[in-house]
Amino acid sequence: MSGARIIDGKALAAQVQEKVAAAVARLRLEHDLAPGLAVVLVGDDPASRVYVRNKGKRTTEAGMKSFEYRLPADTSEAALLERIRLLNESPDVHGILVQLPLPKQINPARVIDAIDPDKDVDGFHVINAGRLAVGQPGLVPCTPLGCVLLAKQARESLEGLEAVIIGRSNIVGKPLAQLLLKENCTVTIAHSRTRDLPAVARRADVLVAAVGRPELVRGDWIKPGATVIDVGINRVETEGGKAKLVGDVAFEEAKEVAGAITPVPGGVGPMTIAMLLVNTVQAACRQRGIDLPRELADLAGG
Ligand code: GUN
């Protein structure tokens, strides 16, 4: 029996994208506002190039302005900081995203903290992390926002549920814990040093894997009927020598046990870009002192 419902992240992302497009059309008409997103890529990491291209494409498809800056791999930190300073000052740019990872000579924390927090659509700035932690309005990281919407596809309400997040990164694990707390879950953040990780995972009604370890989470780590959200995107070689993408969850085993599960690819991945668009609209509205369009009221974080 393959019991789990497969949560279709691609379809949900398309719905979000449609709502963003409708919201943007109204902002242009009623407020003469075209939200603009600047994406900065330093170097030529092939995966990053694909992500950046997709972000630009989705941004323009939603009716927003897309600004792309491709800087050489040997760009100095000072040159990147100067680019960010210009983007912070530009009235046409409402959101700024510097694609990670950055080349070795550049300190990512210094770069992230140079971005105007109100334009930080990744939600990585320490000010936005703080705002999320204390419940003040801010910009919330895109992947955790997507995870919560995906979990809500499977369960009307997350209230009172046991949520276990495997992974404690600043980008996913920690902000997701804050969001799930806001949904009134009981939250555990587990990690590589957690004692008896399978037993901790088995407590979860909502299990999120965000560790970057291919197929770490096995079928017998999952409580029957649980909602499983797989954030991992790992490139592995098949026996035939071909590359394929797998998550942090052993999908074939897990889908026999879970109640609902996100696939890789086609789960969390598409939602991250969709939520980036929502964050850009939210940033643009705040900068202009406009209420968030009603289309996005249930989607935006912070
Ligand atoms: N690299 C991989 N994922 C992300 C992301 O969400 N934001 C940024 N800026 N870089 C990334």
Side-chain angles (χ1 to χ4, degrees):
M1 191 197 82
S2 62
R5 170 177 159 210
I6 311 299
I7 306 170
D8 187 344
K10 224 170 128 178
L12 183 59
Q15 284 175 30
V16 172
Q17 167 108 16
E18 258 178 48
K19 289 182 182 174
V20 170
V24 169
R26 270 190 332 106
L27 287 172
R28 280 177 173 271
L29 204 65
E30 294 171 13
H31 298 278
D32 193 26
L33 171 60
L37 172 65
V39 176
V40 182
L41 172 64
V42 185
D44 40 27
D45 176 68
S48 290
R49 269 169 44 185
V50 174
Y51 290 138
V52 167
R53 187 165 356 108
N54 285 337
K55 284 169 189 166
K57 188 164 159 256
R58 296 272 177 241
T59 304
T60 47
E61 278 171 4
M64 301 197 278
K65 285 192 191 160
S66 168
F67 306 92
E68 262 182 50
Y69 298 87
R70 291 162 186 269
L71 309 180
D74 63 358
T75 298
S76 69
E77 187 178 290
L80 178 56
L81 292 175
E82 175 57 13
R83 171 49 60 198
I84 291 169
R85 193 184 67 75
L86 295 171
L87 295 173
N88 281 343
E89 286 182 359
S90 166
D92 293 332
V93 171
H94 305 97
I96 302 170
L97 180 148
V98 178
Q99 185 68 27
L100 303 176
L102 287 164
K104 292 187 299 296
Q105 73 275 16
I106 299 177
N107 177 335
R110 267 208 288 273
V111 170
I112 290 165
D113 287 343
I115 297 172
D116 177 344
D118 296 332
K119 294 191 176 186
D120 167 40
V121 283
D122 260 329
F124 293 168
H125 194 291
V126 67
I127 293 274
N128 282 317
R131 286 170 174 163
L132 177 62
V134 298
Q136 282 180 15
L139 288 160
V140 178
C142 307
T143 301
L145 283 174
C147 289
V148 171
L149 285 187
L150 287 162
K152 284 183 168 172
Q153 290 287 104
R155 311 215 180 216
E156 189 104 327
S157 163
L158 303 178
E159 175 137 343
L161 298 182
E162 287 278 348
V164 175
I165 302 161
I166 309 177
R168 54 178 155 181
S169 71
N170 292 337
I171 293 177
V172 183
K174 287 186 215 165
L176 179 56
Q178 304 286 1
L179 290 178
L180 290 172
L181 273 177
K182 221 157 45 176
E183 298 291 333
N184 296 318
C185 290
T186 301
V187 181
T188 302
I189 304 183
H191 46 78
S192 55
R193 307 285 177 87
T194 295
R195 226 181 304 153
D196 201 354
L197 187 53
V200 173
R202 268 194 296 273
R203 296 208 305 254
D205 303 307
V206 177
L207 179 63
V208 183
V211 266
R213 296 259 307 272
E215 301 183 322
L216 173 76
V217 176
R218 312 308 309 189
D220 64 0
W221 292 31
I222 295 167
K223 176 166 154 179
T227 299
V228 179
I229 309 292
D230 190 350
V231 181
I233 301 179
N234 308 288
R235 210 170 286 274
V236 296
E237 230 176 72
T238 62
E239 279 164 25
K242 279 211 208 130
K244 76 163 185 172
L245 291 182
V246 300
D248 291 348
V249 178
F251 183 81
E252 290 304 320
E253 292 174 18
K255 79 179 204 304
E256 303 299 318
V257 190
I261 184 169
T262 61
V264 176
V268 174
M271 286 303 292
T272 296
I273 294 187
M275 299 320 293
L276 174 67
L277 304 181
V278 174
N279 276 357
T280 303
V281 175
Q282 188 174 39
C285 289
R286 287 214 177 116
Q287 283 159 48
R288 284 274 295 266
I290 298 169
D291 284 344
L292 188 69
R294 57 179 180 270
E295 290 88 345
L296 304 182
D298 300 333
L299 298 175

